[in-house]
Amino acid sequence: MKIKFIIILFPLLGNAITLKASSLSDIVDIALNNNLSLKSAKKNYEASQYNADIHRSKFLPSLSLHADTIWNENKEFQTTDQHIKNDYNSNSYSLLLSQSLFNLNDIYTITSTQLDIDVSELQSLQTEQEVIKQAATEYFNFLKNSSQIKATETEFSSSIARFKQMERNIQLGNTAKSEIYEVIAQKENIKNRLLTLKKEKTVILNNLNNILQVNTIPSFDLSKLTHFPKINQPEEVFLRKTMFVLNTNILISKKELKKSKQQIKEAQSTFSPTLTGDIRYRKDNTNNPSSNSPPDFGINESIVYSLNFSLPLSTGGSDLYTYRKNKVEFEKSHLDLIKSGEDSLQTFNNLIANINDFSRSLESYSLIIKANYASYNGIKKAHKLGTRTITDLLSAESKLFNSIRDYESARYNYVIDLINLNEVIGLLNMHYINSIMSDMVPMTDNLSSSPIPLHLIK
């Protein structure tokens, strides 16, 4: 089998479970449905969309109604004539229709708002890719940890059997008592390593369950025949070009730069005139009998049409300082865009180097395991014949199992870095996760199976 690279270029590997056996794509799908950070990002994007409607409403007419009623109690005290008492109720209401006819600030603000929405959408996509990466990474961390536990348990079982055999030989007088101390030391070292690995397994599962908000345990593993090729130069060039087009950090920085440029226009627009049209209808009912010239029915009605022109002349310099501040922020956004591109490229180059290094080292580890396996078997036979010491045997066994652990770690780290590479490029999605599964097989419960990759020994 051969692993191919990102989405179009690389179908790869994958599978896991949610209490019952399930694939890696199922695990990632659960994460996309349940992860709280992603839900929050989606809500933020949903809320940002209302900002467009809020600012768009400034281009629509507004209608307002005002009404009041007033009770008046008036008393006039006179020296020669009778005192006058005048109590009456006055009522009025008005209706105002207002329409903004020209306001550059509103025009530029709606464009800035749309850029905010675009940024929020990209941030939601970025969070989605981050969640996929987290779920898939913890999934393969679990598989890597499990492979190391299996190799270490086998090594520990061997050390226990050797310790018991050594005790019997000492009791029978066939072996010097001093030789058992080296066996004990190795056994305890392996025991401590095994306990640490089991602790790490619990941590990995806790992390995975926190991402998914569901208790799960992976149930698919990489096929033993999976191939781990290097990324050649033409593929690297293609992926680099794709990254500069699809990387979410770069895309967000580009939107922020456009927004900063738009905010300069907003600041400039505060120096521009505005034009507003109003239509006001008003009705008053005074009912004041003491008025010098009351209407016949005490009612006044009026309709007023107005065109309002406003030109700001001075605001204490705040508009000017806002304009200067936005120009500086534009320069900052431009620097942020350059840095985003450089950071993404650095991460991309590091991942390419890591992936190719894992590919190269896996070829070496295969030869090392084969050599260590042959060496261990030879020294084991020689030890039984008395021509090699227990130190030689213990050293050969440690070398064999260390090379197995190194080999298994490199396999899973290769896949993890491919996942990270896809995130940097901007192509980490369910389609890619599904493509991973072509190189995975269900995990078996056969605890007696050898942790030694026997296909490398043949």
Side-chain angles (χ1 to χ4, degrees):
M1 294 185 184
K2 184 173 182 178
I3 298 177
K4 303 184 174 69
F5 302 141
I6 91 180
I7 276 196
I8 317 161
L9 259 149
F10 32 116
L12 180 70
L13 341 105
N15 280 359
I17 76 170
T18 67
L19 293 179
K20 296 182 180 179
S22 61
S23 67
L24 174 63
S25 59
D26 292 331
I27 288 293
V28 173
D29 186 61
I30 292 172
L32 293 178
N33 289 323
N34 292 357
N35 186 267
L36 298 179
S37 296
L38 182 55
K39 285 183 177 181
S40 176
K42 288 182 176 179
K43 286 296 181 183
N44 183 60
Y45 170 56
E46 183 181 344
S48 70
Q49 291 177 301
Y50 286 104
N51 288 333
D53 296 326
I54 292 171
H55 290 288
R56 198 177 293 116
S57 65
K58 295 180 180 180
F59 297 95
L60 300 175
S62 63
L63 186 65
S64 60
L65 174 66
H66 176 77
D68 63 61
T69 179
I70 302 173
W71 176 253
N72 300 272
E73 293 185 0
N74 296 319
K75 293 182 179 180
E76 294 182 15
F77 298 95
Q78 303 186 56
T79 55
T80 57
D81 297 325
Q82 185 178 1
H83 298 323
I84 301 173
K85 182 179 181 182
N86 182 21
D87 298 338
Y88 65 95
N89 179 256
S90 62
N91 304 288
S92 69
Y93 65 84
S94 63
L95 199 62
L96 174 64
L97 178 67
S98 182
Q99 171 67 59
S100 176
L101 301 177
F102 178 79
N103 190 324
L104 273 179
N105 187 264
D106 290 343
I107 296 172
Y108 292 140
T109 300
I110 194 68
T111 304
S112 296
T113 302
Q114 186 57 54
L115 290 171
D116 281 332
I117 295 172
D118 294 343
V119 169
S120 182
E121 183 179 16
L122 287 170
Q123 288 172 339
S124 178
L125 176 61
Q126 187 179 54
T127 304
E128 180 178 303
Q129 293 193 38
E130 177 66 22
V131 169
I132 294 174
K133 184 188 76 171
Q134 290 174 354
T137 297
E138 291 301 331
Y139 181 90
F140 284 104
N141 279 335
F142 177 86
L143 296 180
K144 177 172 65 175
N145 174 271
S146 297
S147 69
Q148 301 226 344
I149 286 177
K150 188 172 184 180
T152 307
E153 283 178 337
T154 303
E155 186 181 13
F156 186 54
S157 297
S158 175
S159 69
I160 291 175
R162 185 176 296 108
F163 173 74
K164 291 180 179 179
Q165 182 65 44
M166 186 72 70
E167 281 188 320
R168 285 194 295 269
N169 290 341
I170 291 172
Q171 290 173 358
L172 295 173
N174 298 329
T175 303
K177 188 175 182 181
S178 59
E179 289 194 11
I180 199 172
Y181 299 122
E182 199 169 351
V183 174
I184 292 173
Q186 186 187 52
K187 178 174 70 70
E188 291 302 313
N189 282 333
I190 297 170
K191 179 182 177 181
N192 287 334
R193 177 186 293 168
L194 185 59
L195 291 173
T196 300
L197 287 170
K198 289 183 176 180
K199 180 269 296 181
E200 290 173 353
K201 183 176 184 177
T202 301
V203 173
I204 291 169
L205 279 177
N206 287 339
N207 292 339
L208 182 60
N209 295 335
N210 182 56
I211 294 167
L212 306 182
Q213 296 295 301
V214 173
N215 292 328
T216 61
I217 184 168
S219 63
F220 278 69
D221 200 353
L222 290 178
S223 167
K224 295 296 182 183
L225 301 179
T226 299
H227 184 53
F228 303 88
K230 294 181 180 179
I231 299 177
N232 59 39
Q233 188 64 28
E235 289 170 334
E236 181 180 343
V237 171
F238 172 80
L239 298 178
R240 185 183 296 108
K241 290 180 179 178
T242 304
M243 180 197 69
F244 281 110
V245 174
L246 299 179
N247 178 274
T248 51
N249 283 328
I250 295 175
L251 291 176
I252 289 173
S253 295
K254 287 181 177 179
K255 291 292 183 182
E256 292 289 357
L257 181 63
K258 288 183 179 179
K259 180 182 171 183
S260 295
K261 187 174 182 179
Q262 195 65 27
Q263 286 176 332
I264 292 177
K265 293 182 179 180
E266 286 182 41
Q268 289 174 327
S269 68
T270 58
F271 300 99
S272 303
T274 60
L275 190 62
T276 306
D278 294 337
I279 302 176
R280 180 189 296 272
Y281 168 77
R282 182 178 180 86
K283 183 175 181 179
D284 295 284
N285 184 0
T286 62
N287 297 314
N288 184 0
S290 66
S291 176
N292 294 327
S293 57
D296 291 343
F297 300 100
I299 296 175
N300 287 321
E301 284 186 305
S302 64
I303 298 178
V304 178
Y305 304 90
S306 62
L307 195 62
N308 306 309
F309 175 84
S310 174
L311 177 63
L313 298 178
S314 175
T315 57
S318 62
D319 292 341
L320 178 61
Y321 297 138
T322 300
Y323 169 73
R324 290 177 177 174
K325 174 189 172 184
N326 289 346
K327 285 191 67 176
V328 174
E329 289 182 345
F330 174 79
E331 294 169 358
K332 175 184 176 298
S333 297
H334 186 260
L335 294 173
D336 289 342
L337 175 58
I338 296 174
K339 186 176 186 303
S340 178
E342 290 181 348
D343 288 347
S344 299
L345 181 59
Q346 181 183 11
T347 303
F348 174 88
N349 289 336
N350 290 344
L351 288 170
I352 292 290
N354 288 342
I355 290 167
N356 287 340
D357 183 62
F358 286 133
S359 176
R360 178 199 55 77
S361 63
L362 281 166
E363 296 174 2
S364 297
Y365 286 139
S366 299
L367 297 175
I368 292 171
I369 289 174
K370 189 172 183 177
N372 284 341
Y373 184 73
S375 174
Y376 171 71
N377 285 331
I379 293 175
K380 190 175 181 182
K381 291 177 183 178
H383 178 259
K384 288 182 179 180
L385 297 173
T387 59
R388 298 299 291 265
T389 67
I390 187 64
T391 301
D392 296 332
L393 179 60
L394 295 177
S395 175
E397 187 178 62
S398 294
K399 287 179 180 179
L400 173 60
F401 283 100
N402 284 337
S403 61
I404 292 171
R405 282 187 284 265
D406 290 340
Y407 171 79
E408 294 294 348
S409 293
R411 293 173 80 235
Y412 296 112
N413 287 336
Y414 178 97
V415 179
I416 289 171
D417 275 349
L418 275 181
I419 292 170
N420 290 332
L421 180 63
N422 271 269
E423 188 211 12
V424 172
I425 293 169
L427 288 173
L428 187 58
N429 52 30
M430 280 302 299
H431 180 73
Y432 174 69
I433 291 298
N434 290 332
S435 73
I436 292 179
M437 296 174 56
S438 62
D439 282 316
M440 298 197 78
V441 294
M443 295 170 64
T444 63
D445 295 328
N446 186 5
L447 300 178
S448 62
S449 61
S450 174
I452 301 173
L454 297 176
H455 64 285
L456 301 178
I457 308 301
K458 297 176 182 177

